[in-house]
Amino acid sequence: MIEVLGSDRRAGDTRGSVPHFAFGGVGVVAALATVALAVSIARYGFFGDELYFVAAGRRLAVSYADQGPLLPAISRLMDLVAPNSLVAQRLPAALVTVAAVVITAQIAREFGGGRTAQVLAAGAYATSPFLLVQGDQLATNTIDTALWVVVSWLVVRWVRTRRDSLLLVSGAVTALDMQVKWLIPFFWIALVISVTAYGPRELLRRPMLWWGAALVVVTAAPSLVWQATHGWPQLRLGSVVAAEQATIGGRYTWLPLALASAGLLGGLLLVYGIWTLLRSESWRTYRFLGLLPLVLAVAFLVTDGRPYYAAGCYAALIAVGAVAWTNSWRRPRKVATVPLVVLSALLLVYALPLRPEVDIEPVDTQAEAGLEIALYGRFGWSELVAATADIYRALPESERATVIVIADSYWQASALDLHRARFGLPAVYSPNRGFGYFGTPPDSATTVLWVGGDEPDVRRHCADVMPVGHADARLGFPGVTRDVTIWRCARPRAPWSQVWPDLLRMG
Protein backbone atom coordinates (compact mmCIF):
# COMPACT_ATOMS: atom_id res chain seq x y z
CA MET A 1 0.00 0.00 0.00
CA ILE A 2 1.09 3.59 -0.64
CA GLU A 3 0.72 4.36 3.05
CA VAL A 4 3.94 2.47 3.63
CA LEU A 5 5.68 5.17 1.59
CA GLY A 6 4.27 8.01 3.63
CA SER A 7 1.44 9.02 1.30
CA ASP A 8 -2.30 9.03 1.83
CA ARG A 9 -3.09 8.58 -1.87
CA ARG A 10 -3.37 5.49 -4.02
CA ALA A 11 -1.01 5.16 -6.97
CA GLY A 12 -2.36 6.86 -10.04
CA ASP A 13 -4.92 8.89 -8.12
CA THR A 14 -4.78 12.55 -9.10
CA ARG A 15 -6.60 13.80 -6.02
CA GLY A 16 -5.19 15.10 -2.78
CA SER A 17 -1.74 16.15 -1.77
CA VAL A 18 1.54 14.59 -2.80
CA PRO A 19 4.20 13.24 -0.43
CA HIS A 20 7.05 15.46 0.66
CA PHE A 21 10.03 15.47 -1.64
CA ALA A 22 12.79 13.24 -0.29
CA PHE A 23 15.51 15.88 -0.31
CA GLY A 24 17.91 13.86 1.81
CA GLY A 25 17.83 10.55 -0.05
CA VAL A 26 17.53 12.01 -3.52
CA GLY A 27 20.22 14.53 -2.64
CA VAL A 28 22.60 11.70 -1.79
CA VAL A 29 21.86 10.00 -5.12
CA ALA A 30 22.35 13.28 -6.99
CA ALA A 31 25.60 13.91 -5.14
CA LEU A 32 26.92 10.45 -6.03
CA ALA A 33 25.90 11.00 -9.66
CA THR A 34 27.75 14.31 -9.61
CA VAL A 35 30.87 12.59 -8.29
CA ALA A 36 30.65 9.93 -10.99
CA LEU A 37 30.44 12.59 -13.70
CA ALA A 38 33.09 14.76 -12.06
CA VAL A 39 35.66 11.97 -12.29
CA SER A 40 34.65 11.31 -15.91
CA ILE A 41 34.42 14.65 -17.69
CA ALA A 42 38.16 15.28 -17.72
CA ARG A 43 39.02 11.83 -19.05
CA TYR A 44 40.73 11.32 -22.40
CA GLY A 45 40.23 13.97 -25.09
CA PHE A 46 37.44 15.73 -26.91
CA PHE A 47 34.88 13.49 -28.59
CA GLY A 48 34.64 14.18 -32.31
CA ASP A 49 31.20 15.79 -32.06
CA GLU A 50 32.40 18.04 -29.22
CA LEU A 51 35.09 19.39 -31.53
CA TYR A 52 32.40 20.02 -34.13
CA PHE A 53 30.27 21.95 -31.61
CA VAL A 54 33.23 24.22 -30.89
CA ALA A 55 33.74 24.80 -34.63
CA ALA A 56 30.04 25.46 -35.13
CA GLY A 57 29.94 27.75 -32.11
CA ARG A 58 32.59 29.91 -33.69
CA ARG A 59 30.23 30.25 -36.68
CA LEU A 60 26.95 30.96 -34.91
CA ALA A 61 23.85 30.59 -37.09
CA VAL A 62 20.09 30.10 -36.73
CA SER A 63 20.47 26.49 -37.83
CA TYR A 64 23.00 23.95 -39.03
CA ALA A 65 22.78 21.18 -41.57
CA ASP A 66 22.64 18.45 -38.94
CA GLN A 67 21.29 20.08 -35.76
CA GLY A 68 19.75 23.14 -34.17
CA PRO A 69 21.72 26.12 -32.88
CA LEU A 70 21.52 25.47 -29.12
CA LEU A 71 24.53 23.20 -28.61
CA PRO A 72 26.88 25.34 -30.72
CA ALA A 73 25.70 28.35 -28.69
CA ILE A 74 26.38 26.51 -25.41
CA SER A 75 29.76 25.41 -26.72
CA ARG A 76 30.60 28.96 -27.76
CA LEU A 77 29.70 30.31 -24.33
CA MET A 78 31.91 27.77 -22.58
CA ASP A 79 34.68 28.38 -25.13
CA LEU A 80 34.62 32.09 -24.26
CA VAL A 81 34.65 31.34 -20.52
CA ALA A 82 37.48 28.80 -20.76
CA PRO A 83 38.99 28.48 -24.25
CA ASN A 84 39.78 24.92 -25.38
CA SER A 85 38.78 23.55 -21.95
CA LEU A 86 37.53 19.97 -22.00
CA VAL A 87 35.90 20.28 -18.58
CA ALA A 88 34.16 23.55 -19.41
CA GLN A 89 32.69 22.11 -22.59
CA ARG A 90 31.28 19.12 -20.72
CA LEU A 91 30.04 20.89 -17.60
CA PRO A 92 26.59 21.83 -19.03
CA ALA A 93 25.97 18.20 -19.99
CA ALA A 94 26.85 17.01 -16.49
CA LEU A 95 24.59 19.60 -14.88
CA VAL A 96 21.50 18.77 -16.96
CA THR A 97 22.06 15.05 -16.41
CA VAL A 98 22.12 15.45 -12.63
CA ALA A 99 19.02 17.63 -12.94
CA ALA A 100 17.30 14.78 -14.80
CA VAL A 101 18.11 12.45 -11.91
CA VAL A 102 16.37 14.81 -9.47
CA ILE A 103 13.38 15.36 -11.78
CA THR A 104 12.91 11.60 -12.09
CA ALA A 105 12.42 11.52 -8.33
CA GLN A 106 9.97 14.41 -8.67
CA ILE A 107 7.95 12.40 -11.19
CA ALA A 108 7.79 9.52 -8.71
CA ARG A 109 6.52 12.01 -6.14
CA GLU A 110 3.79 13.15 -8.55
CA PHE A 111 2.63 9.53 -8.73
CA GLY A 112 2.29 9.40 -4.94
CA GLY A 113 5.64 7.79 -4.27
CA GLY A 114 7.18 8.45 -0.90
CA ARG A 115 10.82 8.65 0.07
CA THR A 116 11.70 5.07 -0.87
CA ALA A 117 10.10 5.25 -4.29
CA GLN A 118 11.69 8.62 -5.05
CA VAL A 119 15.16 7.46 -4.08
CA LEU A 120 14.72 4.21 -6.01
CA ALA A 121 13.63 6.08 -9.15
CA ALA A 122 16.53 8.53 -8.88
CA GLY A 123 18.93 5.65 -8.21
CA ALA A 124 17.72 3.75 -11.27
CA TYR A 125 18.32 6.76 -13.50
CA ALA A 126 21.70 7.45 -11.88
CA THR A 127 22.94 3.88 -12.38
CA SER A 128 22.09 3.65 -16.05
CA PRO A 129 25.22 3.23 -18.22
CA PHE A 130 23.52 5.41 -20.80
CA LEU A 131 21.24 7.88 -19.02
CA LEU A 132 23.96 8.98 -16.61
CA VAL A 133 27.19 8.23 -18.46
CA GLN A 134 26.13 10.23 -21.52
CA GLY A 135 26.44 13.25 -19.22
CA ASP A 136 30.24 13.07 -19.35
CA GLN A 137 30.29 14.73 -22.76
CA LEU A 138 28.41 17.49 -24.53
CA ALA A 139 26.13 15.79 -27.05
CA THR A 140 22.75 16.44 -28.63
CA ASN A 141 21.26 13.30 -27.07
CA THR A 142 22.45 14.38 -23.60
CA ILE A 143 20.54 17.66 -23.71
CA ASP A 144 17.63 16.18 -25.66
CA THR A 145 17.11 13.35 -23.15
CA ALA A 146 17.11 15.73 -20.19
CA LEU A 147 14.55 18.01 -21.87
CA TRP A 148 12.28 15.02 -22.57
CA VAL A 149 12.44 14.25 -18.85
CA VAL A 150 11.34 17.81 -18.04
CA VAL A 151 8.44 17.65 -20.52
CA SER A 152 7.36 14.28 -19.09
CA TRP A 153 7.33 15.73 -15.59
CA LEU A 154 5.25 18.72 -16.69
CA VAL A 155 2.69 16.51 -18.44
CA VAL A 156 2.41 14.16 -15.45
CA ARG A 157 2.04 17.12 -13.12
CA TRP A 158 -0.70 18.56 -15.35
CA VAL A 159 -2.61 15.27 -15.17
CA ARG A 160 -2.54 15.51 -11.36
CA THR A 161 -3.22 19.23 -10.95
CA ARG A 162 -4.93 20.29 -14.23
CA ARG A 163 -2.90 23.48 -13.96
CA ASP A 164 -2.90 24.64 -17.59
CA SER A 165 0.13 26.90 -17.23
CA LEU A 166 2.16 23.69 -17.10
CA LEU A 167 1.16 22.97 -20.70
CA LEU A 168 2.45 26.34 -21.84
CA VAL A 169 5.71 25.70 -19.99
CA SER A 170 5.96 22.27 -21.63
CA GLY A 171 5.57 24.04 -24.98
CA ALA A 172 8.44 26.37 -24.07
CA VAL A 173 10.65 23.41 -23.15
CA THR A 174 9.68 21.69 -26.40
CA ALA A 175 10.58 24.86 -28.31
CA LEU A 176 13.98 24.80 -26.62
CA ASP A 177 14.47 21.13 -27.48
CA MET A 178 13.67 21.84 -31.13
CA GLN A 179 16.81 23.99 -31.10
CA VAL A 180 18.78 20.84 -30.22
CA LYS A 181 17.38 18.16 -32.53
CA TRP A 182 14.08 17.25 -34.13
CA LEU A 183 13.10 14.22 -32.04
CA ILE A 184 10.69 15.83 -29.57
CA PRO A 185 7.82 15.90 -32.15
CA PHE A 186 7.88 12.09 -32.01
CA PHE A 187 7.21 12.35 -28.27
CA TRP A 188 4.19 14.58 -28.77
CA ILE A 189 2.77 12.54 -31.65
CA ALA A 190 3.08 9.38 -29.55
CA LEU A 191 1.53 11.23 -26.60
CA VAL A 192 -1.46 12.35 -28.70
CA ILE A 193 -2.01 8.78 -29.90
CA SER A 194 -1.73 7.42 -26.36
CA VAL A 195 -4.02 10.04 -24.83
CA THR A 196 -6.57 9.50 -27.59
CA ALA A 197 -6.57 5.79 -26.77
CA TYR A 198 -6.62 5.96 -22.97
CA GLY A 199 -7.28 9.58 -21.96
CA PRO A 200 -7.29 12.09 -20.47
CA ARG A 201 -8.62 13.36 -23.81
CA GLU A 202 -9.36 16.76 -22.35
CA LEU A 203 -5.60 17.39 -22.55
CA LEU A 204 -6.03 17.82 -26.30
CA ARG A 205 -8.77 20.41 -25.80
CA ARG A 206 -6.77 22.72 -23.54
CA PRO A 207 -5.99 26.06 -25.25
CA MET A 208 -2.67 26.35 -23.41
CA LEU A 209 -1.49 23.15 -25.12
CA TRP A 210 -2.05 24.70 -28.52
CA TRP A 211 -0.58 28.04 -27.49
CA GLY A 212 2.50 26.05 -26.53
CA ALA A 213 2.43 24.36 -29.94
CA ALA A 214 2.23 27.78 -31.59
CA LEU A 215 5.26 28.88 -29.59
CA VAL A 216 7.16 25.85 -30.91
CA VAL A 217 6.27 26.71 -34.51
CA VAL A 218 7.24 30.37 -34.16
CA THR A 219 10.58 29.68 -32.51
CA ALA A 220 11.40 26.89 -34.97
CA ALA A 221 10.58 29.04 -38.01
CA PRO A 222 14.10 30.50 -38.53
CA SER A 223 15.62 27.03 -38.44
CA LEU A 224 12.96 25.67 -40.79
CA VAL A 225 13.55 28.51 -43.24
CA TRP A 226 17.32 27.84 -43.13
CA GLN A 227 16.73 24.14 -43.78
CA ALA A 228 14.33 24.85 -46.64
CA THR A 229 16.75 27.23 -48.36
CA HIS A 230 19.54 24.65 -48.08
CA GLY A 231 17.58 21.64 -49.33
CA TRP A 232 16.58 20.14 -45.94
CA PRO A 233 19.96 18.53 -45.16
CA GLN A 234 18.85 17.53 -41.64
CA LEU A 235 16.19 15.23 -43.09
CA ARG A 236 18.86 13.48 -45.15
CA LEU A 237 20.50 12.36 -41.93
CA GLY A 238 17.93 9.57 -41.67
CA SER A 239 19.65 7.45 -44.31
CA VAL A 240 23.03 8.07 -42.65
CA VAL A 241 21.71 6.93 -39.27
CA ALA A 242 20.12 3.86 -40.88
CA ALA A 243 23.44 2.90 -42.49
CA GLU A 244 25.26 3.32 -39.18
CA GLN A 245 22.63 1.24 -37.38
CA ALA A 246 23.03 -1.53 -39.95
CA THR A 247 26.63 -2.04 -38.80
CA ILE A 248 25.38 -3.05 -35.32
CA GLY A 249 22.43 -5.17 -36.39
CA GLY A 250 19.86 -2.60 -37.47
CA ARG A 251 16.27 -3.31 -36.43
CA TYR A 252 17.17 -6.74 -35.02
CA THR A 253 19.20 -5.23 -32.19
CA TRP A 254 17.10 -2.10 -31.65
CA LEU A 255 14.92 -3.36 -28.81
CA PRO A 256 17.68 -5.13 -26.80
CA LEU A 257 19.92 -2.07 -27.08
CA ALA A 258 17.03 0.27 -26.19
CA LEU A 259 16.32 -1.74 -23.02
CA ALA A 260 20.02 -2.03 -22.19
CA SER A 261 20.36 1.75 -22.31
CA ALA A 262 18.12 1.94 -19.24
CA GLY A 263 20.59 -0.14 -17.23
CA LEU A 264 19.87 -3.12 -14.98
CA LEU A 265 17.74 -1.54 -12.27
CA GLY A 266 16.36 1.06 -14.65
CA GLY A 267 15.47 -1.57 -17.27
CA LEU A 268 13.62 -3.74 -14.75
CA LEU A 269 11.67 -0.76 -13.38
CA LEU A 270 10.98 0.41 -16.93
CA VAL A 271 9.41 -2.90 -17.96
CA TYR A 272 7.58 -3.21 -14.64
CA GLY A 273 6.28 0.33 -15.04
CA ILE A 274 4.88 -0.36 -18.52
CA TRP A 275 3.32 -3.61 -17.28
CA THR A 276 1.73 -1.85 -14.33
CA LEU A 277 0.33 0.99 -16.41
CA LEU A 278 -1.29 -1.33 -18.94
CA ARG A 279 -2.86 -3.77 -16.48
CA SER A 280 -3.53 -2.05 -13.14
CA GLU A 281 -6.84 -0.24 -12.67
CA SER A 282 -5.34 1.99 -10.00
CA TRP A 283 -3.03 3.45 -12.67
CA ARG A 284 -5.73 4.02 -15.31
CA THR A 285 -5.32 7.80 -15.06
CA TYR A 286 -1.76 7.46 -16.35
CA ARG A 287 -2.29 4.46 -18.62
CA PHE A 288 -1.40 6.55 -21.67
CA LEU A 289 2.21 6.52 -20.45
CA GLY A 290 2.32 2.74 -20.91
CA LEU A 291 1.40 3.00 -24.58
CA LEU A 292 3.77 5.93 -25.20
CA PRO A 293 7.05 3.91 -25.37
CA LEU A 294 5.43 1.25 -27.55
CA VAL A 295 4.36 3.88 -30.11
CA LEU A 296 7.83 5.43 -30.00
CA ALA A 297 9.47 2.03 -30.48
CA VAL A 298 7.39 1.37 -33.59
CA ALA A 299 8.14 4.85 -34.94
CA PHE A 300 11.88 4.55 -34.46
CA LEU A 301 11.99 0.99 -35.76
CA VAL A 302 10.19 2.04 -38.93
CA THR A 303 12.42 5.06 -39.43
CA ASP A 304 15.66 3.19 -38.54
CA GLY A 305 16.32 5.47 -35.59
CA ARG A 306 18.94 4.88 -32.95
CA PRO A 307 18.04 2.70 -29.94
CA TYR A 308 18.46 5.58 -27.49
CA TYR A 309 16.10 7.94 -29.33
CA ALA A 310 13.23 7.05 -26.98
CA ALA A 311 15.32 7.17 -23.80
CA GLY A 312 13.88 10.52 -22.79
CA CYS A 313 10.57 8.89 -21.86
CA TYR A 314 12.25 6.35 -19.56
CA ALA A 315 12.28 8.61 -16.51
CA ALA A 316 8.47 8.65 -16.18
CA LEU A 317 8.23 4.89 -16.71
CA ILE A 318 11.02 4.18 -14.24
CA ALA A 319 9.21 6.40 -11.74
CA VAL A 320 6.00 4.40 -12.25
CA GLY A 321 7.94 1.18 -11.77
CA ALA A 322 9.57 2.48 -8.59
CA VAL A 323 6.24 3.53 -7.06
CA ALA A 324 4.48 0.31 -8.09
CA TRP A 325 7.38 -1.79 -6.82
CA THR A 326 7.35 -0.14 -3.43
CA ASN A 327 3.55 -0.30 -3.11
CA SER A 328 4.00 -3.73 -1.56
CA TRP A 329 7.26 -3.04 0.21
CA ARG A 330 7.48 -6.38 1.92
CA ARG A 331 10.61 -8.25 2.90
CA PRO A 332 11.10 -10.24 -0.37
CA ARG A 333 11.12 -7.05 -2.42
CA LYS A 334 13.40 -5.31 0.01
CA VAL A 335 15.83 -8.22 -0.12
CA ALA A 336 15.73 -8.34 -3.94
CA THR A 337 16.18 -4.58 -4.36
CA VAL A 338 19.43 -4.29 -2.42
CA PRO A 339 21.54 -6.55 -4.69
CA LEU A 340 19.94 -4.99 -7.78
CA VAL A 341 21.01 -1.53 -6.65
CA VAL A 342 24.52 -2.73 -5.78
CA LEU A 343 24.97 -4.61 -9.05
CA SER A 344 23.63 -1.65 -11.04
CA ALA A 345 26.10 0.65 -9.29
CA LEU A 346 28.97 -1.72 -10.09
CA LEU A 347 27.94 -1.89 -13.75
CA LEU A 348 27.87 1.90 -13.82
CA VAL A 349 31.40 2.13 -12.43
CA TYR A 350 32.54 -0.33 -15.10
CA ALA A 351 30.88 1.82 -17.79
CA LEU A 352 32.59 5.03 -16.67
CA PRO A 353 35.65 6.05 -18.73
CA LEU A 354 38.14 5.31 -15.98
CA ARG A 355 40.50 2.82 -17.62
CA PRO A 356 44.09 4.02 -18.07
CA GLU A 357 44.86 4.60 -21.73
CA VAL A 358 47.60 1.96 -21.66
CA ASP A 359 45.00 -0.65 -20.74
CA ILE A 360 42.71 0.15 -23.67
CA GLU A 361 43.21 -2.13 -26.65
CA PRO A 362 43.34 -0.50 -30.11
CA VAL A 363 40.92 -1.56 -32.85
CA ASP A 364 41.61 -1.89 -36.55
CA THR A 365 38.23 -1.36 -38.21
CA GLN A 366 35.55 1.30 -38.08
CA ALA A 367 32.98 -1.39 -37.27
CA GLU A 368 34.92 -2.37 -34.14
CA ALA A 369 35.41 1.24 -33.12
CA GLY A 370 31.75 1.99 -33.81
CA LEU A 371 30.67 -0.39 -31.07
CA GLU A 372 32.52 1.82 -28.57
CA ILE A 373 32.43 5.06 -30.51
CA ALA A 374 32.15 7.19 -27.36
CA LEU A 375 35.54 5.79 -26.29
CA TYR A 376 37.58 5.59 -29.50
CA GLY A 377 36.15 8.86 -30.81
CA ARG A 378 38.16 10.73 -28.13
CA PHE A 379 41.68 9.79 -29.20
CA GLY A 380 44.22 10.80 -31.82
CA TRP A 381 43.42 14.46 -32.41
CA SER A 382 46.81 15.83 -31.39
CA GLU A 383 48.59 13.32 -33.65
CA LEU A 384 46.34 14.24 -36.58
CA VAL A 385 46.89 17.98 -36.15
CA ALA A 386 50.64 17.61 -35.62
CA ALA A 387 51.08 15.46 -38.73
CA THR A 388 49.11 17.91 -40.88
CA ALA A 389 51.02 20.89 -39.51
CA ASP A 390 54.38 19.20 -40.15
CA ILE A 391 53.44 18.57 -43.77
CA TYR A 392 52.20 22.12 -44.23
CA ARG A 393 55.42 23.61 -42.79
CA ALA A 394 57.48 21.38 -45.09
CA LEU A 395 55.91 22.94 -48.20
CA PRO A 396 57.91 25.63 -50.02
CA GLU A 397 57.11 29.03 -48.56
CA SER A 398 56.05 30.30 -51.97
CA GLU A 399 53.40 27.56 -52.20
CA ARG A 400 51.82 28.06 -48.76
CA ALA A 401 49.95 31.21 -49.81
CA THR A 402 47.70 29.15 -52.10
CA VAL A 403 47.26 26.13 -49.83
CA ILE A 404 44.11 25.12 -47.96
CA VAL A 405 43.22 22.02 -45.98
CA ILE A 406 40.25 19.82 -46.87
CA ALA A 407 39.43 17.05 -44.42
CA ASP A 408 37.43 14.01 -45.42
CA SER A 409 35.57 13.91 -42.07
CA TYR A 410 33.87 16.73 -40.16
CA TRP A 411 35.58 15.37 -37.02
CA GLN A 412 38.99 15.82 -38.65
CA ALA A 413 38.10 19.28 -39.91
CA SER A 414 36.86 20.33 -36.48
CA ALA A 415 40.05 19.17 -34.76
CA LEU A 416 42.22 20.99 -37.30
CA ASP A 417 40.06 24.10 -37.05
CA LEU A 418 40.30 24.15 -33.24
CA HIS A 419 44.11 24.13 -33.32
CA ARG A 420 44.55 26.06 -36.54
CA ALA A 421 45.92 29.25 -34.97
CA ARG A 422 48.23 27.42 -32.58
CA PHE A 423 49.87 25.41 -35.38
CA GLY A 424 49.72 28.12 -38.05
CA LEU A 425 47.53 26.07 -40.39
CA PRO A 426 45.69 27.58 -43.35
CA ALA A 427 41.90 27.65 -43.67
CA VAL A 428 40.19 24.31 -43.09
CA TYR A 429 37.23 22.95 -45.07
CA SER A 430 35.31 19.69 -45.27
CA PRO A 431 32.41 18.55 -47.45
CA ASN A 432 31.16 16.30 -44.62
CA ARG A 433 28.04 16.98 -42.55
CA GLY A 434 27.46 20.48 -41.23
CA PHE A 435 31.08 21.52 -41.76
CA GLY A 436 30.46 21.55 -45.49
CA TYR A 437 28.07 24.48 -45.04
CA PHE A 438 30.60 26.61 -43.16
CA GLY A 439 32.11 27.89 -46.38
CA THR A 440 33.34 27.06 -49.87
CA PRO A 441 37.07 26.85 -50.61
CA PRO A 442 38.31 29.85 -52.63
CA ASP A 443 38.96 29.29 -56.30
CA SER A 444 42.43 30.75 -55.73
CA ALA A 445 43.39 27.63 -53.76
CA THR A 446 45.52 25.73 -56.25
CA THR A 447 47.01 23.30 -53.73
CA VAL A 448 45.13 21.28 -51.11
CA LEU A 449 46.34 19.16 -48.24
CA TRP A 450 43.59 16.53 -48.35
CA VAL A 451 43.34 14.77 -44.99
CA GLY A 452 41.93 11.26 -45.24
CA GLY A 453 39.87 9.75 -48.00
CA ASP A 454 40.86 7.33 -50.76
CA GLU A 455 43.13 8.16 -53.67
CA PRO A 456 40.46 7.61 -56.39
CA ASP A 457 38.13 10.07 -54.63
CA VAL A 458 40.85 12.69 -54.32
CA ARG A 459 41.91 12.24 -57.95
CA ARG A 460 38.41 13.14 -59.08
CA HIS A 461 39.09 16.68 -57.93
CA CYS A 462 42.77 17.27 -58.72
CA ALA A 463 44.98 16.45 -61.68
CA ASP A 464 48.10 16.03 -59.55
CA VAL A 465 47.71 13.81 -56.46
CA MET A 466 50.37 12.22 -54.30
CA PRO A 467 50.60 10.99 -50.68
CA VAL A 468 52.76 13.33 -48.62
CA GLY A 469 52.28 12.09 -45.09
CA HIS A 470 50.54 9.84 -42.64
CA ALA A 471 48.72 10.41 -39.34
CA ASP A 472 48.35 7.61 -36.85
CA ALA A 473 47.47 7.10 -33.21
CA ARG A 474 47.47 3.88 -31.20
CA LEU A 475 43.92 4.44 -29.91
CA GLY A 476 42.65 6.48 -32.82
CA PHE A 477 39.43 5.91 -34.71
CA PRO A 478 40.34 3.99 -37.91
CA GLY A 479 40.15 6.21 -40.96
CA VAL A 480 39.73 9.33 -38.85
CA THR A 481 42.72 9.55 -36.54
CA ARG A 482 44.31 6.17 -37.15
CA ASP A 483 45.97 5.07 -40.39
CA VAL A 484 45.10 8.33 -42.17
CA THR A 485 46.82 9.31 -45.40
CA ILE A 486 47.40 12.99 -46.14
CA TRP A 487 47.44 13.85 -49.83
CA ARG A 488 48.85 16.77 -51.77
CA CYS A 489 46.14 17.67 -54.26
CA ALA A 490 47.26 20.21 -56.90
CA ARG A 491 45.76 21.69 -60.04
CA PRO A 492 42.00 21.40 -59.28
CA ARG A 493 40.01 20.07 -62.23
CA ALA A 494 37.31 22.72 -61.74
CA PRO A 495 36.83 25.83 -59.60
CA TRP A 496 35.86 24.94 -56.05
CA SER A 497 32.87 27.28 -56.23
CA GLN A 498 31.43 25.06 -58.97
CA VAL A 499 32.11 21.60 -57.57
CA TRP A 500 31.60 22.20 -53.82
CA PRO A 501 27.78 21.87 -53.81
CA ASP A 502 28.11 18.42 -55.38
CA LEU A 503 30.77 17.39 -52.85
CA LEU A 504 28.56 18.01 -49.83
CA ARG A 505 27.54 14.78 -48.08
CA MET A 506 25.88 14.02 -44.76
CA GLY A 507 27.44 10.58 -44.35
Side-chain angles (χ1 to χ4, degrees):
M1 296 294 292
I2 285 290
E3 285 81 1
V4 178
L5 302 178
S7 170
D8 57 2
R9 296 195 302 122
R10 289 181 59 81
D13 189 358
T14 61
R15 299 167 297 176
S17 60
V18 295
H20 293 297
F21 184 61
F23 285 106
V26 174
V28 170
V29 174
L32 292 174
T34 302
V35 171
L37 292 173
V39 300
S40 302
I41 60 175
R43 297 291 294 172
Y44 313 139
F46 282 101
F47 182 64
D49 281 353
E50 292 177 306
L51 293 167
Y52 172 60
F53 298 145
V54 175
R58 294 177 178 180
R59 301 165 174 85
L60 290 175
V62 297
S63 186
Y64 297 87
D66 45 7
Q67 63 179 317
L70 182 58
L71 259 71
I74 293 173
S75 180
R76 181 56 178 164
L77 175 62
M78 304 313 293
D79 192 33
L80 291 172
V81 172
N84 299 342
S85 170
L86 186 65
V87 173
Q89 286 292 320
R90 293 174 173 173
L91 186 59
L95 292 175
V96 300
T97 300
V98 173
V101 171
V102 176
I103 295 172
T104 302
Q106 284 279 11
I107 297 174
R109 176 175 175 261
E110 292 294 330
F111 291 137
R115 182 171 186 259
T116 305
Q118 294 174 36
V119 173
L120 187 62
Y125 197 105
T127 56
S128 164
F130 175 79
L131 295 173
L132 183 81
V133 176
Q134 68 173 343
D136 75 348
Q137 70 178 50
L138 185 63
T140 53
N141 54 279
T142 306
I143 308 300
D144 179 61
T145 300
L147 292 176
W148 277 45
V149 174
V150 175
V151 172
S152 299
W153 171 53
L154 292 168
V155 170
V156 168
R157 187 168 174 80
W158 177 87
V159 172
R160 185 181 67 81
T161 66
R162 295 303 197 269
R163 191 178 302 163
D164 286 354
S165 60
L166 294 167
L167 298 179
L168 185 60
V169 176
S170 70
V173 178
T174 300
L176 184 66
D177 200 9
M178 283 291 288
Q179 306 303 312
V180 178
K181 60 198 307 182
W182 291 357
L183 286 183
I184 191 69
F186 284 96
F187 173 90
W188 283 105
I189 292 170
L191 184 69
V192 169
I193 293 172
S194 302
V195 167
T196 301
Y198 290 121
R201 296 183 184 90
E202 66 178 281
L203 170 68
L204 306 180
R205 297 191 294 269
R206 298 289 192 173
M208 282 295 187
L209 178 70
W210 300 108
W211 279 114
L215 177 64
V216 172
V217 172
V218 170
T219 55
S223 180
L224 294 172
V225 170
W226 190 98
Q227 289 286 327
T229 57
H230 290 81
W232 300 99
Q234 192 163 167
L235 296 182
R236 296 200 299 272
L237 271 177
S239 59
V240 176
V241 171
E244 293 173 353
Q245 289 302 110
T247 63
I248 58 173
R251 294 187 175 99
Y252 297 104
T253 59
W254 192 95
L255 185 58
L257 290 175
L259 289 174
S261 67
L264 177 60
L265 179 61
L268 291 173
L269 291 180
L270 171 69
V271 173
Y272 188 59
I274 295 173
W275 172 260
T276 298
L277 288 163
L278 295 179
R279 65 178 292 274
S280 175
E281 281 300 311
S282 65
W283 285 89
R284 174 172 287 277
T285 304
Y286 296 103
R287 183 160 291 172
F288 69 95
L289 290 172
L291 182 59
L292 178 69
L294 306 183
V295 176
L296 287 171
V298 171
F300 291 134
L301 278 167
V302 169
T303 58
D304 278 320
R306 301 189 194 279
Y308 57 75
Y309 276 2
C313 75
Y314 289 1
L317 301 167
I318 287 172
V320 171
V323 174
W325 180 256
T326 54
N327 279 354
S328 300
W329 196 229
R330 299 184 180 92
R331 184 174 180 80
R333 291 196 175 186
K334 292 181 180 179
V335 172
T337 301
V338 172
L340 279 174
V341 171
V342 172
L343 185 55
S344 295
L346 292 175
L347 290 174
L348 172 71
V349 172
Y350 178 77
L352 293 173
L354 301 178
R355 281 182 291 170
E357 292 185 26
V358 294
D359 293 339
I360 301 174
E361 292 296 325
V363 292
D364 297 320
T365 67
Q366 289 194 355
E368 290 177 301
L371 294 174
E372 292 189 78
I373 189 172
L375 174 65
Y376 291 101
R378 302 186 187 198
F379 294 107
W381 306 118
S382 58
E383 291 88 343
L384 177 75
V385 174
T388 305
D390 287 345
I391 294 168
Y392 173 70
R393 285 192 291 262
L395 294 174
E397 188 171 348
S398 58
E399 187 178 1
R400 292 182 204 167
T402 60
V403 172
I404 61 169
V405 175
I406 294 181
D408 182 67
S409 161
Y410 74 104
W411 280 9
Q412 296 168 328
S414 300
L416 293 166
D417 186 73
L418 178 66
H419 300 290
R420 177 188 166 197
R422 176 186 168 194
F423 285 85
L425 288 169
V428 179
Y429 302 87
S430 175
N432 186 217
R433 293 285 273 268
F435 211 102
Y437 294 81
F438 290 166
T440 302
D443 292 338
S444 59
T446 56
T447 303
V448 173
L449 292 183
W450 202 294
V451 180
D454 299 321
E455 184 174 0
D457 293 333
V458 181
R459 285 195 179 279
R460 289 209 311 266
H461 310 299
C462 296
D464 183 8
V465 174
M466 63 178 295
V468 290
H470 196 73
D472 204 2
R474 190 184 76 88
L475 295 178
F477 199 99
V480 178
T481 54
R482 188 175 188 199
D483 193 21
V484 177
T485 300
I486 302 174
W487 310 88
R488 180 182 177 276
C489 173
R491 293 192 296 137
R493 298 184 185 276
W496 295 112
S497 58
Q498 294 181 16
V499 301
W500 195 253
D502 295 329
L503 288 178
L504 299 180
R505 55 183 173 82
M506 296 305 290

